[in-house]
Structure formats: C-alpha cells, structure tokens
Amino acid sequence: MQFEFARFCWEAALKTFEELSRILASSGVTLLAVERTVTSCPPQAAHATSCGPQDGRVDIVVAYDSPDPLQEVDDAWFGLASRFGLFGESGEFLLMVNLHDDEPYDSDLYWARVRLQAQWTVAGSNRETINGPALEGLATMSPTGDVIIVGTKNQEDLSVLAVPRPHRASAIRKFAQFMLRNGELTTDEADNVKRWLARD
C-alpha cells in the first residue's frame, strides 16, 4: 500500500472523527480513540511491505479466485494477530487511519485505538483489493509497537503479512530515522520513537 504523508490539524478533525467512528462501526470495529501522540512507530514509517524475510516478515497469500477471498483475508489477519500478539489486554489494537477531509488526495495518518465487535471484517468490501475498514487500506499495529500486520494487493493475489519486532526492520527503521532527522515529530514523539528504536 502506498500513502502520501502530511500533518493533521486536530482542531479541524471533529467531524471526520465522528464519520470515521461510523464507518468503522459498519465493519464491526469500535473506535476507542485516535492516538494524537506517536508512542512507538510513526504511522508514516510503517512500511511493512518493504520488509523482507530477513526482517522476520511472514506472509499468508490469498488468491483472487478463492471462493471467499475477503473471509480468507480476515482469517489470515486474525491468525497472524493471534500468533504475534497484536491485541492488548482488553482486545484493543491500533489501526492506521487517514483523517483528512479530502482523501484519497491528501493523507493525515494516525493510529486509531480500536477493538473488534462480535461480528467484524478488516478486509473491506472489494474482492479485488484490501480496503480495510477505514477504506484506505489495512495496516494494524499492536499497542506496544511490537508487531505490524498489513494487507496488500499484489498483481496475482492478495497478501496479509506480519513484521514482528518492526523496530529492527531496515525499511521501517530508516524511515523513522528520516522523520527524526527532518524534525517531523514533536519533542515528546521524537523521544518516544528513539526509545522504540533502541529496544532489544
């Protein structure tokens, strides 16, 4: 998945937040909060698709012509989420969302803290791609920043992939360090990202 990046003006986002809550609820996902401060991996740096096997990347491939590819994507995502500890103590996890009013032309990316309802889907509604419940793609992260799990469209199939310990993955580290060098984070966020990158 490809994203463009920009900063978000929170004061102008209240209507978008309400709309996002409604959209997520229609997919069986409860919006708990939008994380206003980066505490581990910045959403802009979560380039899991740029990681390789040397980074610990694990893929589950779903064929377009499967009987129910969207259900297979949901099953693959939940399987990886359970295997690698995506869910917090109360079942919450982070979902990347775009809060810009003019999407898909502009992007203001944040992590939203969410929880699954009894009936849910994270695959979206188009069997030829992965929209995600927020429509701009599927990218999720554990609340602790210990794993990133995304869905992506390939030429011949769909893929759900996990990158455990993403702070060690080269592509993700490089982009986070780029953001630090360019001063794209607040002082508190920069300190949080530095601590995240320094984990064992």
Side-chain angles (χ1 to χ4, degrees), residues 39-42 45 144-145 165-181 185 189-200:
T39 58
S40 58
C41 180
T144 57
R165 301 167 69 89
H167 61 285
R168 291 192 165 197
S170 176
I172 294 173
R173 287 187 65 87
K174 286 179 179 178
F175 202 96
Q177 290 166 343
F178 169 81
M179 293 182 70
L180 289 170
R181 288 195 304 271
L185 303 167
E189 289 176 327
D191 290 342
N192 291 338
V193 172
K194 289 174 183 177
R195 281 192 292 269
W196 178 72
L197 290 172
R199 291 181 185 177
D200 290 335

Side-chain angles (χ1 to χ4, degrees), residues 70-197:
L70 296 181
Q71 183 60 54
E72 288 191 36
V73 166
D74 280 342
D75 292 344
W77 175 83
F78 191 81
L80 291 175
S82 300
R83 175 180 172 185
F84 291 109
L86 181 78
F87 303 113
E89 292 183 2
S90 301
E92 76 278 9
F93 61 98
L94 302 180
L95 172 70
M96 189 186 297
V97 295
N98 176 15
L99 297 181
H100 199 285
D101 289 333
D102 295 326
E103 63 173 300
Y105 305 105
D106 293 291
S107 293
D108 290 299
L109 301 180
Y110 273 77
W111 292 115
R113 187 172 293 265
V114 299
R115 183 184 299 124
L116 298 178
Q117 300 173 12
Q119 300 293 323
W120 56 269
T121 178
V122 295
S125 57
N126 185 346
R127 61 182 288 123
E128 296 183 356
T129 189
I130 298 176
N131 295 6
L135 303 182
E136 65 272 348
L138 174 62
T140 57
M141 184 173 70
S142 65
T144 57
D146 290 335
V147 65
I148 293 172
I149 303 176
V150 306
T152 188
K153 174 185 176 182
N154 304 309
Q155 186 171 358
E156 298 180 354
D157 51 44
L158 302 166
S159 177
V160 183
L161 61 100
V163 178
R165 301 167 69 89
H167 61 285
R168 291 192 165 197
S170 176
I172 294 173
R173 287 187 65 87
K174 286 179 179 178
F175 202 96
Q177 290 166 343
F178 169 81
M179 293 182 70
L180 289 170
R181 288 195 304 271
N182 279 13
E184 298 182 29
L185 303 167
T186 66
T187 300
D188 288 343
E189 289 176 327
D191 290 342
N192 291 338
V193 172
K194 289 174 183 177
R195 281 192 292 269
W196 178 72
L197 290 172

